[in-house]
Amino acid sequence: KCQVAVCRDRQGTIIAAFGPLDLIRFLADDSKANEGMTAPREQTVGALLAAINVGAGWTALPAEGPVAAAVEQLTGKAINIVVGTDVTGAVVGVITRALRRY
C-alpha cells in the first residue's frame, strides 16, 4: 500500500523520500557487490541513504499551496516525489510521478 518512504531526522526534519525503484536499485547494487547475493532483511534505511543519492528525486511543499506547484515539480526531469507538509512540518500527503503517461 505504501509507495513512498519519508525519512526524518531526530529533530523531525524531513531528510529523504524514496520509492520502490530506489529500493530495487539499492538491492541490485548490493547484490552486484556481493557476488549476486543480498540479504534484504539485514539492510537498513541508513545504508540505503548512504549508498544511493535520493536527495535530488524529491521535494517538500506546503500542503495548503496550489496543486499546480506540485505538478510543476513532477513534470520536470529531476523530481519524482512531492511530500506535502502542514505548517508544523508534519507530512500530510505524498504525490508521486506517474510511471506512464496516458
Side-chain angles (χ1 to χ4, degrees), residues 21-61:
L21 294 177
D22 298 311
L23 179 59
I24 290 168
R25 187 175 65 205
F26 168 68
L27 293 174
D29 290 348
D30 183 64
S31 179
K32 286 179 191 174
N34 293 299
E35 299 179 7
M37 302 293 285
T38 190
R41 290 184 182 258
E42 294 177 11
Q43 301 298 340
T44 64
V45 172
L48 180 146
L49 295 177
I52 63 172
N53 180 14
V54 297
W58 70 278
T59 191
L61 295 175

Side-chain angles (χ1 to χ4, degrees), residues 40-95:
R41 290 184 182 258
E42 294 177 11
Q43 301 298 340
T44 64
V45 172
L48 180 146
L49 295 177
I52 63 172
N53 180 14
V54 297
W58 70 278
T59 191
L61 295 175
E64 63 274 357
V67 174
V71 171
E72 182 179 326
Q73 291 291 321
L74 293 169
T75 55
K77 293 190 182 225
I79 303 298
N80 294 316
I81 300 168
V82 174
V83 179
T85 59
D86 66 10
V87 294
T88 66
V91 175
V92 295
V94 175
I95 302 173

